[in-house]
Amino acid sequence: MATTMSAAVLYGREDVRIEQVPIPRAAKGELILRVDAALTCGTDLKVFRRGYHARMIVPPALFGHELAGTVVEVGEGVANFATGDRVVALNSAPCGECYFCRRGQENLCDDLLFNNGAYAEFIHIPARIVAKNTLHVPDDVPMEHAALTEPLACAVHGFEDSLPRTGDTVAVIGGGPLGLLILHVAALAGYEVIALVRHDGQVEAARRLGAAHVVQASSISKAIRETRALTQQNRGVDIAIEAVGVPDAWQEAVELVRKGGTVNFFGGCATGTHVALDTNRLHYNDITLRATFHHTPSICRKALNLIAGGRFQAGAFITGHAHLFELNRVFEKLMQRSSEIKTAILP
Ligand SMILES: [Zn+2]
Ligand SMILES: [Zn+2]
């Protein structure tokens, strides 16, 4: 058997190199997977552009975190998995012992263990992720669909955290992969969704994924007016979920909701960003502000069930395929804001 593999290594800003590195080996409690499909992600694109991620990755490092793969090596003591099993290994696992884990907020774990390295032929899965956040993929689910578990878990988390009530109208700002996932989750759950998108290619995708209305306005003030006009007496939406991660969109979200409405700041802005908000509007209109980060093990299971359930249009999110060696080109294309949603990277 070969001892080296091709893998993407992140060195810094817009500097990812495909290199030969040793194939990892499984120690006690660990797994080695052959990567069957890895997906590009807005977070990876951000990391590619900025050269780091505050919580997830410090270069030089293996790169990529949405994947499904086949078990090729099983460490001592692993009982639930065998060679040949098809699995999704999530990109993190909580400790289970800290204050936040004990309160069921495992996404905020003080010791969240992250794993990267999906853009490679093989990936090492640490014992804690094997124990807590590695899931069997049902036979009839294609691996590239299963690889959507991680971003979908974030989307499901963001939607549930917004505490939707039957009959609510939900506005989702942003037509990127996460915006589209959130709107699809909301539409599948039976909510009326208004998608606010920027680019032509996103209009069609939003409609296809279940948005009742798509607002594509040339300015933010127009988008706010058009969205409110879609609600009775212009009162505003019940829930606005921001999935862009820029200050303008955070402010826009606050302007979209009705009295008593809920805003979810789902998109993470660059470190050090501050946003100005109208305190009178927040206070006298009784507006709830929430923010959702990441996912928990139970939500990851929910996400994979949703993918396996048949109604979720996994195929619509994967708009291209590329070989690992083309990764740089793929990211450059994604930076140009094409109509691509996610590209499956096949090693
Ligand atoms: Zn991701
Ligand atoms: Zn913890």
Side-chain angles (χ1 to χ4, degrees):
M1 196 180 147
T3 56
T4 65
M5 64 172 185
S6 301
V9 183
L10 175 76
Y11 280 91
R13 273 171 73 175
E14 294 180 36
D15 186 4
V16 172
R17 303 172 209 168
I18 307 301
E19 297 186 340
Q20 286 295 310
V21 305
I23 295 176
R25 299 303 308 265
K28 196 172 168 199
E30 300 177 342
L31 292 175
I32 304 300
L33 309 183
R34 184 191 74 222
V35 178
D36 293 317
L39 301 178
T40 59
C41 160
T43 304
D44 290 344
L45 188 61
K46 255 197 277 192
V47 169
F48 181 74
R49 221 191 270 133
R50 295 176 190 163
Y52 69 95
H53 185 287
R55 297 210 58 187
M56 272 193 228
I57 187 165
V58 183
L62 295 173
F63 189 38
H65 66 273
E66 298 177 9
L67 76 131
T70 303
V71 176
V72 294
E73 192 188 349
V74 179
E76 190 196 321
V78 175
N80 295 337
F81 300 99
T83 307
D85 284 0
R86 301 162 80 240
V87 299
V88 168
L90 273 301
N91 62 333
S92 71
C95 75
E97 283 155 28
C98 71
Y99 177 80
F100 301 95
C101 282
R102 282 187 279 113
R103 292 173 64 98
Q105 294 177 299
E106 295 113 314
N107 57 312
L108 302 177
C109 174
D110 277 333
D111 183 28
L112 205 52
L113 173 72
F114 282 102
N115 193 35
N116 282 286
Y119 302 133
E121 290 178 80
F122 299 93
I123 184 169
H124 165 253
I125 310 300
R128 195 200 283 176
I129 294 179
V130 174
K132 297 190 173 168
N133 240 350
T134 299
L135 316 175
H136 285 279
V137 176
D139 288 343
D140 59 341
V141 176
M143 293 302 255
E144 62 185 43
H145 293 185
L148 282 165
T149 300
E150 195 275 329
L152 180 59
C154 296
V156 169
H157 193 198
F159 180 61
E160 290 188 352
D161 241 6
S162 309
L163 306 178
R165 289 188 286 196
T166 310
D168 279 356
T169 297
V170 181
V172 179
I173 304 174
L178 255 317
L180 294 173
L181 282 165
I182 293 169
L183 88 80
H184 192 39
V185 167
L188 287 178
Y191 292 86
E192 182 185 29
V193 179
I194 303 172
L196 288 87
V197 304
R198 251 319 235 304
H199 307 281
D200 293 341
Q202 298 168 338
V203 174
E204 187 44 43
R207 287 225 170 85
R208 179 143 76 111
L209 293 167
H213 312 276
V214 181
V215 172
Q216 184 192 25
S218 52
S219 72
I220 285 179
S221 57
K222 264 192 190 162
I224 294 166
R225 238 179 300 130
E226 284 179 31
T227 303
R228 295 188 79 98
L230 292 166
T231 63
Q232 270 179 27
Q233 292 151 354
N234 288 293
R235 73 171 163 236
V237 298
D238 303 290
I239 295 171
I241 302 177
E242 190 282 343
V244 181
V246 298
D248 283 352
W250 280 46
Q251 290 165 328
E252 180 180 7
V254 173
E255 299 302 324
L256 293 178
V257 291
R258 64 163 168 84
K259 287 188 282 184
T262 297
V263 172
N264 191 329
F265 299 122
F266 181 86
C269 300
T271 310
T273 304
H274 292 258
V275 175
L277 298 172
D278 177 348
T279 57
N280 272 21
R281 178 165 166 69
L282 296 178
H283 177 78
Y284 294 105
N285 289 316
D286 206 348
I287 291 169
T288 301
L289 304 182
R290 304 186 67 87
T292 305
F293 166 70
H294 208 54
H295 47 64
T296 65
S298 71
I299 287 172
C300 292
R301 282 151 181 79
K302 228 183 234 184
L304 182 55
N305 287 340
L306 193 58
I307 292 166
R311 291 205 306 141
F312 181 80
Q313 295 180 44
F317 291 93
I318 299 160
T319 48
H321 294 80
H323 191 273
L324 180 58
F325 289 103
E326 301 171 278
L327 191 63
N328 266 295
R329 195 184 54 73
V330 169
F331 276 119
E332 277 158 24
K333 204 169 155 200
L334 288 173
M335 285 210 294
Q336 290 155 19
R337 296 260 163 210
S338 60
S339 56
E340 301 290 338
I341 304 175
K342 282 177 173 288
T343 301
I345 305 296
L346 310 169

